[in-house]
Amino acid sequence: MQKRIMPLERRGIAASRLVLGCMKLCGGIKANPITEDEILLAERAVDAALEAGITMFDHADVYARGQAEAVFGEVLRRRPQLRDRIVIQSKCGYRVESGSPKMYDFSRDHILRAVDRSLARLGTDRLDILLLHRPDPLMEPDEIAEAFDRLRTAGKASHFGVSNLGADQIRYIQQALDMPLVVNQLDLSLGKLDWLDSGVLMNRRIDHTVRFPEGTLEHCRMHDIQLQAWGSLAQGRFTGRLEEAGGTEAERKTSERVRQMAQEKETTPEAIVLGWLMKHPAAIQPVIGTLNPGRIAACADAVRQSETMTREEWYGLYQTSRGQEIP
């Protein structure tokens, strides 16, 4: 078996191979009020994650308009011993406020203010990792550097990263920092292949069709930046939802191949889909967005599947999902 060592592990950050995404806590977009039912839902998801070996939790200040962090904070308040057993990551910089347009804000003052609010909602004194949430066209690296330095000095955030940024944007920010960016969270999955197809297409000189920023994957690998994958389960298209919602011929064939592999390997479709992603030598860290305890448990075997999946099996899924042979 080939064991992948994550960049976070090489930096001494004790993160699990899988991350539980907390966007759907408190109803997600609906932003439900915090009730006993919502707290119970959060507790069940946390317990299922821990049972599956997941000790890292991903937040953002905009998830459920802050309610996702707040309900998670209530879980921590009821279980104070849990905080030191887990890694908490949150994001800031995406502003969705009544009476204002949606915007991104990487200004020093906003970053500092947003982190203080996240810490208050979570009921903790520190974030293990803080990410900037999507690129801000108006960003000034020197302001970001000052905010990060203040947060690190105050002990409010230990490590820093970004989400949805390309290699050039990462370099632009990094040149102003005296600390490494340790994470880049991107939309990566078996159902969205531009991050892989970019290299294939570039070799055929048709890079105008490539959406994934050229060189991002390689830059992150060269600089020990952890690639995290949001949308890693492809919104369930290959693990059951496709039968309900329909889909393309390629998606139907991929779903069937995933199901067959799961039966042959005596595992779950979720473990196959995640294992395929984790097989990549970048040691990608999937963020799973479900709160369903059964579905969280179904992901637990993903690490083993990533270690035992053959090159032929990996390419078989890749080619089927593309809907055509690779060039």
Side-chain angles (χ1 to χ4, degrees), residues 167 186 188 195-196 212-222 227 280 282 284:
L186 298 164
L188 311 175
W195 61 283
L196 284 173
F212 189 83
E214 178 190 350
T216 300
L217 187 75
E218 292 79 8
H219 177 84
C220 291
R221 292 192 66 190
M222 289 172 62
L227 283 168
H280 192 279
I284 294 167

Side-chain angles (χ1 to χ4, degrees), residues 52-77:
I54 299 171
T55 58
M56 187 170 181
F57 298 85
D58 177 69
H59 291 270
D61 57 357
V62 295
Y63 291 167
R65 300 185 180 180
Q67 294 290 78
E69 287 182 330
V71 76
F72 194 89
E74 184 57 38
V75 173
L76 292 180
R77 276 185 280 274

Side-chain angles (χ1 to χ4, degrees), residues 32-195:
N32 296 335
I34 297 176
T35 63
E36 280 299 318
D37 285 344
E38 293 291 349
I39 297 170
L40 181 59
L41 178 65
E43 287 183 322
R44 287 174 175 168
V46 169
D47 286 339
L50 295 173
E51 182 66 25
I54 299 171
T55 58
M56 187 170 181
F57 298 85
D58 177 69
H59 291 270
D61 57 357
V62 295
Y63 291 167
R65 300 185 180 180
Q67 294 290 78
E69 287 182 330
V71 76
F72 194 89
E74 184 57 38
V75 173
L76 292 180
R77 276 185 280 274
R78 297 183 180 193
R79 306 181 187 183
Q81 75 284 356
L82 182 60
R83 177 63 187 95
D84 290 335
R85 295 174 50 201
I86 64 175
V87 175
I88 296 180
Q89 172 178 279
S90 195
K91 299 180 283 293
C92 72
Y94 183 21
R95 294 177 57 178
V96 181
E97 300 169 1
S98 178
S100 297
K102 290 183 180 179
M103 67 180 77
Y104 302 104
D105 190 346
F106 290 1
S107 66
R108 176 199 58 210
D109 291 344
H110 177 73
I111 293 171
L112 295 174
R113 190 163 51 241
V115 170
D116 281 342
R117 291 171 178 170
S118 287
L119 293 176
R121 286 190 290 265
L122 289 163
T124 186
D125 61 353
R126 73 192 186 283
L127 297 176
D128 297 296
I129 304 175
L130 172 69
L131 306 185
L132 298 176
H133 203 173
R134 301 176 180 270
D136 174 14
L138 303 181
M139 64 184 174
E140 292 283 2
D142 289 341
E143 281 201 47
I144 295 170
E146 184 178 350
F148 283 4
D149 184 64
R150 288 192 187 186
L151 292 169
R152 182 178 61 175
T153 300
K156 294 180 179 180
S158 303
H159 303 278
F160 302 88
V162 296
S163 73
N164 302 284
L165 266 64
D168 287 342
Q169 294 167 318
I170 293 172
R171 281 191 287 264
Y172 183 50
I173 295 173
Q174 184 65 73
Q175 53 85 28
L177 304 177
D178 64 356
M179 64 196 77
L181 294 169
V182 302
V183 169
N184 189 14
Q185 190 177 111
L186 298 164
D187 185 4
L188 311 175
S189 72
L190 177 60
K192 182 179 174 61
L193 296 174
D194 56 341
W195 61 283

Side-chain angles (χ1 to χ4, degrees), residues 238-258:
F238 310 126
T239 56
R241 191 174 67 84
L242 192 65
E243 285 75 4
E244 303 171 5
T248 66
E249 182 180 1
E251 287 175 333
R252 289 192 294 272
K253 288 182 177 180
T254 304
S255 180
E256 179 58 29
R257 182 180 283 266
V258 166

Side-chain angles (χ1 to χ4, degrees), residues 9-30:
E9 293 178 284
R10 289 196 287 269
R11 295 184 184 278
I13 302 171
S16 51
R17 285 301 313 273
L18 298 175
V19 181
L20 185 69
C22 297
M23 183 178 71
K24 294 181 180 178
L25 290 177
C26 269
I29 294 174
K30 292 187 293 184

